[in-house]
Each structure stands twice: as C-alpha cells, then as structure tokens.
Amino acid sequence: MRLMKTKIFNLLCSGILFLTFVSCEDFLTRAPISDVTDEMLGIDPDANSDSVKYNSVELAEAILSSAYRSFQTEYYQLDRYIIGDAQSDNCYSGEPKAQTVQIDQFSVDANNGNVRRDWSYMYSQISGANSIIQWVPLNSDPNLTEIRKKEIVGEASFIRAVAYFNLVRLYGDVPLVLKEIPTLSNDNLEEVYPLLYPARQPADSVYAQIIKDLEYATVNCKDYSANKFVITKPLAHAVLAEVYATKGAPDNVDWTKVRFHASIVTSNVNYDLMPAFDDLWAAAADESGNKNEHCKESLFEVDCNSWATIGNWSYQMFMGTDWKKFNTPSKDIEKAFNDAGDTRRKQASILYQDVTGKWSDQVWPASAYPFIYKQRVNEKGNIILWRLASTILLQAEAENELNNLEPAKNLLKKVRNRAGLGNPVSTTKEQLRLEIEKERRLELAFEGYRWFDLVRTGRAIQVMQSCTDVQSTYAVRLTENRLIWPIPQTELDQNDLLIQNPGY
C-alpha cells in the first residue's frame, strides 16, 4: 500500500521540477485520493518499475478521477479570475496581498508567488495527464474496453491541452513535456535529468500540441454527458475555437477554424442558453448547491460536493464581509453595465454590501462596497469553467471577421436578448467588432476571460491605458513585454536551459 500511495503522489505532483510538492500537498489535503489497496488494483507490491502499470480498470478510472480533481487547485478556483479580471479593467486586486496587487498594477516580477505557483499547478496537471496517456493504452484488463481506453486518453489529452493553453498564454514559450517523468535515482540520472530540466519550446510548437490533443479529444471523448463534470467532444470543440482565436492573434487568426469548431457546439441540440441569466448562478433554496447545476448552458463545471471530495472554497475568496476579498469589481465595469442599460447582468454579477467599520477603500464607499456575485454557494456550489454563451459570442466574432455581418448579429442578439437588451446596432465590421468585445465583457464578467480577450485582440494596452479610473495610472507600465508573465525565478535557478522573457 505504501508503494501505491507513493506512486500516485508522484503521478499527481511530479512536475518539471520538484517545486510542485508544496502545492500538491495542499491539493491532496483538500481532495484525498480513494484509499485503495495494491491487491484490489492487481498491482504487485514488490514491482520495481517506476511507473504504476495500468493493469486494472479500477486503477485507470481512479487515476483519471485524480486528474479531474486538479480542477480544484488555486489556479481554477482563484488565480484564473485574478489573471482574467483583476489584471484587466474588470476588477481591482481587492485584498491587499502584495503578489496580487503586483498583477493588478502590472508590476509583477519573477519572484511573484502567483507566477511561481501557477507554473507548478499547470505542470502538475500535465504530469498526471501524461501518465494516463502513456499507460492506459497498455492496460490488459479485459473489463476495460478499447472504446473506454480511448475515452480516458481523450479526457486526459483535453486536460493536458488546457494546461498548456494556460501556460502558453501566461508565459509564452514553455517546455513541452509529453511523457511521464520517472522518479530520479542514481541509476537513471542521465536519462531522467534532461526530462526534469528541458528547454523552452516555441509557442507555435506548443499550440501544435494543444491542437493535436484537442483533436484527439473531439474524436474519442463522449458525444455528450448530462454530468457536466465530464469532458466531451463538444467541450473539446469549444476550447479548440478559443485556441484558434488565440493562435496567431491578432493578425494571423484562422477565423474559418474558429467558426467551424464553435458552430459544432452552437448547433448541438443538447445545449442552449438558460432562459434567465441569473439562472446560472442562483443558489438552491436549501443552499445545497446551485439551483441549476449541470444545466443545458454549461459545457463543463467542477462538481463541488463537500470538503472531503471537491469543495468550492472559491466562494470565500470573492464573497463575504469578514475580510476584504479578492477581485473587487471596478468603477469601469460598473460604468460599462450602466452605460449599456444592462441591469439584469449587473444585478447577477455584482452584489453591494455595507462594510462600514471593517475596512476602507480608495475607490469605493464602505456603505456600498461591491463583491463578485457569480459565486454564491460555499463548499457545494459548482464552478462553471466553460459555457455556451462564450462559444456563441466567439462564433459571432468569427463570422464578423469573415465579413458575414448578419450571421454575426444573429448570434450576438441571442445573448443580448436574454439580457433584456435590443438587437445589435452596428453597421460596419469595425463597429460590430467592438460591440462583440463589449458583449463578451458584460456577459462573461468575473469568469476569467477579459484579460485573455484583450491580449488576443491586440487591444490590452490601448484599453487599459484609456481606462476611466485609477487602473489607467498603473497601465503606464503595460508594454508588449508585459502582456505575458516572467518565467518563475525558482525555475530559472534550477534549470540553466530556461531563458527569461524580455522585460523582466
């Protein structure tokens, strides 16, 4: 049993460097792995192979479940939103933690804690996926069908692709590791050392691998699942649309590919917009979770049930008056909602509360302090990571860029009409481009999209420097070099092949 637990820990936590151990220990505390025995899984406890042999259906499914649990790390419950919203014009850092303030104010450096831990989280997620992809096809258990093997590998391929998509957008060129890294020993030092300390690969190579993995997922994952914490073909197509909208952006985007992959999702009869925007976030009457978990609009959501399995602690980071929370909505996003007459989405996205006597703020009055309102249930509230509205708007963007303005408007008005807003009014491609940009901002506010949208469209510097409030004063530091983060200093210190990004 000790061998089994050790190997599973290595599987989850062996990233490119050993820095992931601290973060993964915290992760395992929050999401313990099922207590299974070697005998139950058919593993020889005396086996001296470095990698666990996937010779039972139970082990293959257990390791896949552990890979899914990587969606509860700080990246997906906190940092995704700090990056996407506090780094943009949607939010201020809120809670005055130095490493978060640096991100908000474009003064981040290579020693920033978020920069370090997000690199580690992504490579830990990749490591778990690599082991599944490498070993599940060799599973000899007759109860594990070839179809299920391909589904498992497809789901792991999606997880690896998403982790690399996060990495390449955050850091640019990154090491590309596609095989399980054995535990380092005196006997295999020469073999393993280059795997532990690889050089960075060009972003184009990383994108090529991301696309390859997602294409595998579009062929081999399930066609559909009512349980939205299952990776499916439509989900893979939705992310492929995002990837193609980002690869080569802003000047060399393959908009035909964006439209192709997005349309597969938007035309799927299993998915549709919820009737009311607030339906996505409303809490069940007994606070046992969200009222409409696994709804028809959700493409993928982290299934939060309890602290013993996966719990939603993201709620505590963004909601409540016991301490100043992360990601305080900005005056600029409030103005954007008000200027658009977007009452429904504003009320579903921002909650104002009285924090008099608890803390002061340079922007907001204590009597009406805003909080993100898209996380409403502690512990048991599911977290939607991808939903149909985003894909509809991305398809609208593609149609517009392909000079198909009327199809773009028809897609855009689906989202606008649900928000109680009128049909699009743009008459030119350039006007409609900005209208779609604004719609993505208001529809997807506080869901981690805004910063990456601004970067891929080439608008980040202009938008941030012309922001209507205090954020414009910080944006004077924002240059082309600062559109991506530095390579963590801890990684540079241990790997001589890594080269720091320009400007850091």
PDB file of all heavy atoms in Angstrom, residues 400-430:
ATOM      1  N   ASN A 400     -18.053  37.799 -38.038  1.00  0.00           N
ATOM      2  CA  ASN A 400     -17.770  39.195 -38.358  1.00  0.00           C
ATOM      3  C   ASN A 400     -16.429  39.350 -39.046  1.00  0.00           C
ATOM      4  O   ASN A 400     -16.307  40.081 -40.042  1.00  0.00           O
ATOM      5  CB  ASN A 400     -17.817  40.034 -37.077  1.00  0.00           C
ATOM      6  CG  ASN A 400     -17.653  41.522 -37.362  1.00  0.00           C
ATOM      7  OD1 ASN A 400     -18.399  42.099 -38.148  1.00  0.00           O
ATOM      8  ND2 ASN A 400     -16.663  42.136 -36.733  1.00  0.00           N
ATOM      9  N   GLU A 401     -15.409  38.670 -38.528  1.00  0.00           N
ATOM     10  CA  GLU A 401     -14.079  38.775 -39.131  1.00  0.00           C
ATOM     11  C   GLU A 401     -14.053  38.173 -40.533  1.00  0.00           C
ATOM     12  O   GLU A 401     -13.209  38.542 -41.358  1.00  0.00           O
ATOM     13  CB  GLU A 401     -13.038  38.088 -38.242  1.00  0.00           C
ATOM     14  CG  GLU A 401     -12.850  38.740 -36.885  1.00  0.00           C
ATOM     15  CD  GLU A 401     -12.445  40.201 -36.970  1.00  0.00           C
ATOM     16  OE1 GLU A 401     -11.710  40.568 -37.912  1.00  0.00           O
ATOM     17  OE2 GLU A 401     -12.866  40.991 -36.098  1.00  0.00           O
ATOM     18  N   LEU A 402     -14.989  37.261 -40.827  1.00  0.00           N
ATOM     19  CA  LEU A 402     -15.102  36.675 -42.162  1.00  0.00           C
ATOM     20  C   LEU A 402     -16.081  37.459 -43.039  1.00  0.00           C
ATOM     21  O   LEU A 402     -16.514  36.975 -44.095  1.00  0.00           O
ATOM     22  CB  LEU A 402     -15.546  35.219 -42.050  1.00  0.00           C
ATOM     23  CG  LEU A 402     -14.532  34.265 -41.399  1.00  0.00           C
ATOM     24  CD1 LEU A 402     -15.172  32.923 -41.078  1.00  0.00           C
ATOM     25  CD2 LEU A 402     -13.303  34.075 -42.287  1.00  0.00           C
ATOM     26  N   ASN A 403     -16.439  38.669 -42.550  1.00  0.00           N
ATOM     27  CA  ASN A 403     -17.301  39.591 -43.287  1.00  0.00           C
ATOM     28  C   ASN A 403     -18.743  39.104 -43.434  1.00  0.00           C
ATOM     29  O   ASN A 403     -19.450  39.502 -44.368  1.00  0.00           O
ATOM     30  CB  ASN A 403     -16.707  39.902 -44.670  1.00  0.00           C
ATOM     31  CG  ASN A 403     -15.345  40.550 -44.584  1.00  0.00           C
ATOM     32  OD1 ASN A 403     -15.163  41.556 -43.890  1.00  0.00           O
ATOM     33  ND2 ASN A 403     -14.360  39.958 -45.241  1.00  0.00           N
ATOM     34  N   ASN A 404     -19.185  38.280 -42.516  1.00  0.00           N
ATOM     35  CA  ASN A 404     -20.565  37.802 -42.502  1.00  0.00           C
ATOM     36  C   ASN A 404     -21.308  38.523 -41.382  1.00  0.00           C
ATOM     37  O   ASN A 404     -21.581  37.952 -40.326  1.00  0.00           O
ATOM     38  CB  ASN A 404     -20.604  36.291 -42.303  1.00  0.00           C
ATOM     39  CG  ASN A 404     -19.827  35.550 -43.374  1.00  0.00           C
ATOM     40  OD1 ASN A 404     -19.895  35.900 -44.553  1.00  0.00           O
ATOM     41  ND2 ASN A 404     -19.087  34.532 -42.975  1.00  0.00           N
ATOM     42  N   LEU A 405     -21.634  39.774 -41.599  1.00  0.00           N
ATOM     43  CA  LEU A 405     -22.151  40.611 -40.517  1.00  0.00           C
ATOM     44  C   LEU A 405     -23.527  40.174 -40.027  1.00  0.00           C
ATOM     45  O   LEU A 405     -23.779  40.183 -38.818  1.00  0.00           O
ATOM     46  CB  LEU A 405     -22.202  42.080 -40.965  1.00  0.00           C
ATOM     47  CG  LEU A 405     -20.919  42.894 -40.710  1.00  0.00           C
ATOM     48  CD1 LEU A 405     -19.780  42.360 -41.548  1.00  0.00           C
ATOM     49  CD2 LEU A 405     -21.147  44.378 -41.003  1.00  0.00           C
ATOM     50  N   GLU A 406     -24.412  39.776 -40.925  1.00  0.00           N
ATOM     51  CA  GLU A 406     -25.751  39.417 -40.493  1.00  0.00           C
ATOM     52  C   GLU A 406     -25.756  38.145 -39.631  1.00  0.00           C
ATOM     53  O   GLU A 406     -26.414  38.116 -38.585  1.00  0.00           O
ATOM     54  CB  GLU A 406     -26.683  39.271 -41.692  1.00  0.00           C
ATOM     55  CG  GLU A 406     -27.052  40.600 -42.322  1.00  0.00           C
ATOM     56  CD  GLU A 406     -27.599  41.600 -41.313  1.00  0.00           C
ATOM     57  OE1 GLU A 406     -28.514  41.222 -40.531  1.00  0.00           O
ATOM     58  OE2 GLU A 406     -27.113  42.750 -41.290  1.00  0.00           O
ATOM     59  N   PRO A 407     -25.045  37.061 -40.041  1.00  0.00           N
ATOM     60  CA  PRO A 407     -24.954  35.903 -39.144  1.00  0.00           C
ATOM     61  C   PRO A 407     -24.328  36.262 -37.792  1.00  0.00           C
ATOM     62  O   PRO A 407     -24.740  35.743 -36.755  1.00  0.00           O
ATOM     63  CB  PRO A 407     -24.069  34.921 -39.917  1.00  0.00           C
ATOM     64  CG  PRO A 407     -24.286  35.273 -41.346  1.00  0.00           C
ATOM     65  CD  PRO A 407     -24.451  36.771 -41.356  1.00  0.00           C
ATOM     66  N   ALA A 408     -23.347  37.171 -37.813  1.00  0.00           N
ATOM     67  CA  ALA A 408     -22.720  37.598 -36.555  1.00  0.00           C
ATOM     68  C   ALA A 408     -23.740  38.311 -35.672  1.00  0.00           C
ATOM     69  O   ALA A 408     -23.814  38.071 -34.460  1.00  0.00           O
ATOM     70  CB  ALA A 408     -21.531  38.513 -36.846  1.00  0.00           C
ATOM     71  N   LYS A 409     -24.541  39.186 -36.258  1.00  0.00           N
ATOM     72  CA  LYS A 409     -25.561  39.904 -35.485  1.00  0.00           C
ATOM     73  C   LYS A 409     -26.611  38.956 -34.917  1.00  0.00           C
ATOM     74  O   LYS A 409     -27.087  39.135 -33.784  1.00  0.00           O
ATOM     75  CB  LYS A 409     -26.238  40.955 -36.364  1.00  0.00           C
ATOM     76  CG  LYS A 409     -25.374  42.154 -36.701  1.00  0.00           C
ATOM     77  CD  LYS A 409     -26.179  43.149 -37.536  1.00  0.00           C
ATOM     78  CE  LYS A 409     -25.357  44.357 -37.920  1.00  0.00           C
ATOM     79  NZ  LYS A 409     -26.149  45.328 -38.712  1.00  0.00           N
ATOM     80  N   ASN A 410     -26.989  37.948 -35.704  1.00  0.00           N
ATOM     81  CA  ASN A 410     -27.992  36.992 -35.230  1.00  0.00           C
ATOM     82  C   ASN A 410     -27.503  36.222 -34.009  1.00  0.00           C
ATOM     83  O   ASN A 410     -28.276  35.948 -33.085  1.00  0.00           O
ATOM     84  CB  ASN A 410     -28.357  36.025 -36.353  1.00  0.00           C
ATOM     85  CG  ASN A 410     -29.190  36.680 -37.443  1.00  0.00           C
ATOM     86  OD1 ASN A 410     -29.881  37.672 -37.191  1.00  0.00           O
ATOM     87  ND2 ASN A 410     -29.113  36.154 -38.655  1.00  0.00           N
ATOM     88  N   LEU A 411     -26.233  35.876 -34.017  1.00  0.00           N
ATOM     89  CA  LEU A 411     -25.660  35.200 -32.852  1.00  0.00           C
ATOM     90  C   LEU A 411     -25.578  36.143 -31.661  1.00  0.00           C
ATOM     91  O   LEU A 411     -25.909  35.774 -30.527  1.00  0.00           O
ATOM     92  CB  LEU A 411     -24.274  34.660 -33.200  1.00  0.00           C
ATOM     93  CG  LEU A 411     -24.240  33.468 -34.167  1.00  0.00           C
ATOM     94  CD1 LEU A 411     -22.863  33.328 -34.796  1.00  0.00           C
ATOM     95  CD2 LEU A 411     -24.620  32.183 -33.440  1.00  0.00           C
ATOM     96  N   LEU A 412     -25.153  37.361 -31.928  1.00  0.00           N
ATOM     97  CA  LEU A 412     -24.993  38.339 -30.855  1.00  0.00           C
ATOM     98  C   LEU A 412     -26.326  38.662 -30.189  1.00  0.00           C
ATOM     99  O   LEU A 412     -26.416  38.798 -28.960  1.00  0.00           O
ATOM    100  CB  LEU A 412     -24.354  39.611 -31.426  1.00  0.00           C
ATOM    101  CG  LEU A 412     -23.999  40.721 -30.447  1.00  0.00           C
ATOM    102  CD1 LEU A 412     -23.047  40.230 -29.374  1.00  0.00           C
ATOM    103  CD2 LEU A 412     -23.381  41.907 -31.205  1.00  0.00           C
ATOM    104  N   LYS A 413     -27.380  38.749 -30.986  1.00  0.00           N
ATOM    105  CA  LYS A 413     -28.662  39.144 -30.400  1.00  0.00           C
ATOM    106  C   LYS A 413     -29.253  38.051 -29.506  1.00  0.00           C
ATOM    107  O   LYS A 413     -30.042  38.360 -28.616  1.00  0.00           O
ATOM    108  CB  LYS A 413     -29.644  39.560 -31.487  1.00  0.00           C
ATOM    109  CG  LYS A 413     -30.247  38.463 -32.311  1.00  0.00           C
ATOM    110  CD  LYS A 413     -31.224  39.069 -33.323  1.00  0.00           C
ATOM    111  CE  LYS A 413     -31.908  37.994 -34.162  1.00  0.00           C
ATOM    112  NZ  LYS A 413     -32.843  38.585 -35.141  1.00  0.00           N
ATOM    113  N   LYS A 414     -28.860  36.787 -29.706  1.00  0.00           N
ATOM    114  CA  LYS A 414     -29.308  35.726 -28.799  1.00  0.00           C
ATOM    115  C   LYS A 414     -28.865  36.025 -27.369  1.00  0.00           C
ATOM    116  O   LYS A 414     -29.630  35.876 -26.416  1.00  0.00           O
ATOM    117  CB  LYS A 414     -28.738  34.374 -29.233  1.00  0.00           C
ATOM    118  CG  LYS A 414     -29.322  33.799 -30.495  1.00  0.00           C
ATOM    119  CD  LYS A 414     -28.688  32.440 -30.779  1.00  0.00           C
ATOM    120  CE  LYS A 414     -29.231  31.827 -32.062  1.00  0.00           C
ATOM    121  NZ  LYS A 414     -28.611  30.505 -32.332  1.00  0.00           N
ATOM    122  N   VAL A 415     -27.628  36.448 -27.241  1.00  0.00           N
ATOM    123  CA  VAL A 415     -27.073  36.732 -25.917  1.00  0.00           C
ATOM    124  C   VAL A 415     -27.635  38.046 -25.387  1.00  0.00           C
ATOM    125  O   VAL A 415     -28.004  38.158 -24.221  1.00  0.00           O
ATOM    126  CB  VAL A 415     -25.536  36.752 -25.983  1.00  0.00           C
ATOM    127  CG1 VAL A 415     -24.943  37.094 -24.628  1.00  0.00           C
ATOM    128  CG2 VAL A 415     -25.003  35.404 -26.472  1.00  0.00           C
ATOM    129  N   ARG A 416     -27.717  39.042 -26.249  1.00  0.00           N
ATOM    130  CA  ARG A 416     -28.229  40.341 -25.830  1.00  0.00           C
ATOM    131  C   ARG A 416     -29.700  40.270 -25.429  1.00  0.00           C
ATOM    132  O   ARG A 416     -30.110  40.857 -24.423  1.00  0.00           O
ATOM    133  CB  ARG A 416     -28.044  41.366 -26.949  1.00  0.00           C
ATOM    134  CG  ARG A 416     -26.604  41.808 -27.146  1.00  0.00           C
ATOM    135  CD  ARG A 416     -26.511  42.854 -28.266  1.00  0.00           C
ATOM    136  NE  ARG A 416     -27.345  44.021 -27.991  1.00  0.00           N
ATOM    137  CZ  ARG A 416     -26.998  45.026 -27.201  1.00  0.00           C
ATOM    138  NH1 ARG A 416     -25.830  45.007 -26.565  1.00  0.00           N
ATOM    139  NH2 ARG A 416     -27.814  46.056 -27.024  1.00  0.00           N
ATOM    140  N   ASN A 417     -30.495  39.565 -26.207  1.00  0.00           N
ATOM    141  CA  ASN A 417     -31.927  39.499 -25.916  1.00  0.00           C
ATOM    142  C   ASN A 417     -32.193  38.830 -24.581  1.00  0.00           C
ATOM    143  O   ASN A 417     -33.106  39.221 -23.855  1.00  0.00           O
ATOM    144  CB  ASN A 417     -32.668  38.769 -27.034  1.00  0.00           C
ATOM    145  CG  ASN A 417     -32.743  39.556 -28.332  1.00  0.00           C
ATOM    146  OD1 ASN A 417     -33.151  39.029 -29.353  1.00  0.00           O
ATOM    147  ND2 ASN A 417     -32.324  40.829 -28.313  1.00  0.00           N
ATOM    148  N   ARG A 418     -31.406  37.810 -24.236  1.00  0.00           N
ATOM    149  CA  ARG A 418     -31.585  37.190 -22.931  1.00  0.00           C
ATOM    150  C   ARG A 418     -31.306  38.200 -21.821  1.00  0.00           C
ATOM    151  O   ARG A 418     -31.923  38.157 -20.751  1.00  0.00           O
ATOM    152  CB  ARG A 418     -30.680  35.967 -22.752  1.00  0.00           C
ATOM    153  CG  ARG A 418     -30.918  35.347 -21.383  1.00  0.00           C
ATOM    154  CD  ARG A 418     -30.058  34.212 -21.021  1.00  0.00           C
ATOM    155  NE  ARG A 418     -28.639  34.362 -21.081  1.00  0.00           N
ATOM    156  CZ  ARG A 418     -27.796  33.375 -20.783  1.00  0.00           C
ATOM    157  NH1 ARG A 418     -28.265  32.195 -20.422  1.00  0.00           N
ATOM    158  NH2 ARG A 418     -26.506  33.558 -20.867  1.00  0.00           N
ATOM    159  N   ALA A 419     -30.381  39.107 -22.052  1.00  0.00           N
ATOM    160  CA  ALA A 419     -30.042  40.128 -21.054  1.00  0.00           C
ATOM    161  C   ALA A 419     -31.050  41.271 -21.046  1.00  0.00           C
ATOM    162  O   ALA A 419     -30.880  42.235 -20.286  1.00  0.00           O
ATOM    163  CB  ALA A 419     -28.643  40.664 -21.319  1.00  0.00           C
ATOM    164  N   GLY A 420     -32.095  41.180 -21.892  1.00  0.00           N
ATOM    165  CA  GLY A 420     -33.095  42.244 -21.935  1.00  0.00           C
ATOM    166  C   GLY A 420     -32.663  43.432 -22.756  1.00  0.00           C
ATOM    167  O   GLY A 420     -33.209  44.530 -22.602  1.00  0.00           O
ATOM    168  N   LEU A 421     -31.683  43.225 -23.621  1.00  0.00           N
ATOM    169  CA  LEU A 421     -31.157  44.313 -24.447  1.00  0.00           C
ATOM    170  C   LEU A 421     -31.623  44.149 -25.884  1.00  0.00           C
ATOM    171  O   LEU A 421     -31.988  43.056 -26.327  1.00  0.00           O
ATOM    172  CB  LEU A 421     -29.628  44.322 -24.390  1.00  0.00           C
ATOM    173  CG  LEU A 421     -29.019  44.460 -22.986  1.00  0.00           C
ATOM    174  CD1 LEU A 421     -27.504  44.342 -23.064  1.00  0.00           C
ATOM    175  CD2 LEU A 421     -29.430  45.778 -22.341  1.00  0.00           C
ATOM    176  N   GLY A 422     -31.584  45.221 -26.637  1.00  0.00           N
ATOM    177  CA  GLY A 422     -32.054  45.210 -28.018  1.00  0.00           C
ATOM    178  C   GLY A 422     -31.077  44.534 -28.962  1.00  0.00           C
ATOM    179  O   GLY A 422     -29.990  44.075 -28.571  1.00  0.00           O
ATOM    180  N   ASN A 423     -31.448  44.484 -30.231  1.00  0.00           N
ATOM    181  CA  ASN A 423     -30.612  43.864 -31.239  1.00  0.00           C
ATOM    182  C   ASN A 423     -29.361  44.708 -31.503  1.00  0.00           C
ATOM    183  O   ASN A 423     -29.347  45.910 -31.226  1.00  0.00           O
ATOM    184  CB  ASN A 423     -31.398  43.693 -32.543  1.00  0.00           C
ATOM    185  CG  ASN A 423     -32.531  42.697 -32.393  1.00  0.00           C
ATOM    186  OD1 ASN A 423     -32.514  41.845 -31.501  1.00  0.00           O
ATOM    187  ND2 ASN A 423     -33.515  42.801 -33.269  1.00  0.00           N
ATOM    188  N   PRO A 424     -28.313  44.104 -32.038  1.00  0.00           N
ATOM    189  CA  PRO A 424     -27.095  44.852 -32.371  1.00  0.00           C
ATOM    190  C   PRO A 424     -27.398  45.998 -33.327  1.00  0.00           C
ATOM    191  O   PRO A 424     -28.274  45.898 -34.194  1.00  0.00           O
ATOM    192  CB  PRO A 424     -26.205  43.800 -33.039  1.00  0.00           C
ATOM    193  CG  PRO A 424     -26.717  42.492 -32.523  1.00  0.00           C
ATOM    194  CD  PRO A 424     -28.184  42.669 -32.336  1.00  0.00           C
ATOM    195  N   VAL A 425     -26.650  47.085 -33.170  1.00  0.00           N
ATOM    196  CA  VAL A 425     -26.915  48.284 -33.965  1.00  0.00           C
ATOM    197  C   VAL A 425     -25.788  48.606 -34.934  1.00  0.00           C
ATOM    198  O   VAL A 425     -25.899  49.540 -35.731  1.00  0.00           O
ATOM    199  CB  VAL A 425     -27.155  49.493 -33.044  1.00  0.00           C
ATOM    200  CG1 VAL A 425     -28.387  49.266 -32.183  1.00  0.00           C
ATOM    201  CG2 VAL A 425     -25.930  49.758 -32.147  1.00  0.00           C
ATOM    202  N   SER A 426     -24.705  47.860 -34.894  1.00  0.00           N
ATOM    203  CA  SER A 426     -23.544  48.169 -35.730  1.00  0.00           C
ATOM    204  C   SER A 426     -23.869  47.996 -37.212  1.00  0.00           C
ATOM    205  O   SER A 426     -24.614  47.088 -37.606  1.00  0.00           O
ATOM    206  CB  SER A 426     -22.372  47.262 -35.365  1.00  0.00           C
ATOM    207  OG  SER A 426     -21.985  47.452 -34.028  1.00  0.00           O
ATOM    208  N   THR A 427     -23.274  48.843 -38.026  1.00  0.00           N
ATOM    209  CA  THR A 427     -23.481  48.766 -39.475  1.00  0.00           C
ATOM    210  C   THR A 427     -22.195  48.447 -40.230  1.00  0.00           C
ATOM    211  O   THR A 427     -22.245  48.206 -41.443  1.00  0.00           O
ATOM    212  CB  THR A 427     -24.046  50.103 -39.998  1.00  0.00           C
ATOM    213  OG1 THR A 427     -23.138  51.161 -39.670  1.00  0.00           O
ATOM    214  CG2 THR A 427     -25.419  50.374 -39.401  1.00  0.00           C
ATOM    215  N   THR A 428     -21.051  48.447 -39.531  1.00  0.00           N
ATOM    216  CA  THR A 428     -19.780  48.114 -40.169  1.00  0.00           C
ATOM    217  C   THR A 428     -19.072  47.015 -39.382  1.00  0.00           C
ATOM    218  O   THR A 428     -19.374  46.772 -38.216  1.00  0.00           O
ATOM    219  CB  THR A 428     -18.852  49.332 -40.248  1.00  0.00           C
ATOM    220  OG1 THR A 428     -18.418  49.677 -38.915  1.00  0.00           O
ATOM    221  CG2 THR A 428     -19.558  50.521 -40.883  1.00  0.00           C
ATOM    222  N   LYS A 429     -18.139  46.387 -40.049  1.00  0.00           N
ATOM    223  CA  LYS A 429     -17.353  45.327 -39.421  1.00  0.00           C
ATOM    224  C   LYS A 429     -16.608  45.856 -38.204  1.00  0.00           C
ATOM    225  O   LYS A 429     -16.542  45.189 -37.163  1.00  0.00           O
ATOM    226  CB  LYS A 429     -16.368  44.756 -40.442  1.00  0.00           C
ATOM    227  CG  LYS A 429     -15.438  43.679 -39.931  1.00  0.00           C
ATOM    228  CD  LYS A 429     -14.536  43.190 -41.061  1.00  0.00           C
ATOM    229  CE  LYS A 429     -13.553  42.131 -40.597  1.00  0.00           C
ATOM    230  NZ  LYS A 429     -12.702  41.648 -41.720  1.00  0.00           N
ATOM    231  N   GLU A 430     -16.049  47.052 -38.321  1.00  0.00           N
ATOM    232  CA  GLU A 430     -15.267  47.624 -37.230  1.00  0.00           C
ATOM    233  C   GLU A 430     -16.150  47.934 -36.027  1.00  0.00           C
ATOM    234  O   GLU A 430     -15.766  47.695 -34.872  1.00  0.00           O
ATOM    235  CB  GLU A 430     -14.552  48.884 -37.704  1.00  0.00           C
ATOM    236  CG  GLU A 430     -13.422  48.652 -38.700  1.00  0.00           C
ATOM    237  CD  GLU A 430     -13.903  48.204 -40.082  1.00  0.00           C
ATOM    238  OE1 GLU A 430     -15.085  48.504 -40.427  1.00  0.00           O
ATOM    239  OE2 GLU A 430     -13.130  47.565 -40.801  1.00  0.00           O
TER     240      GLU A 430
END
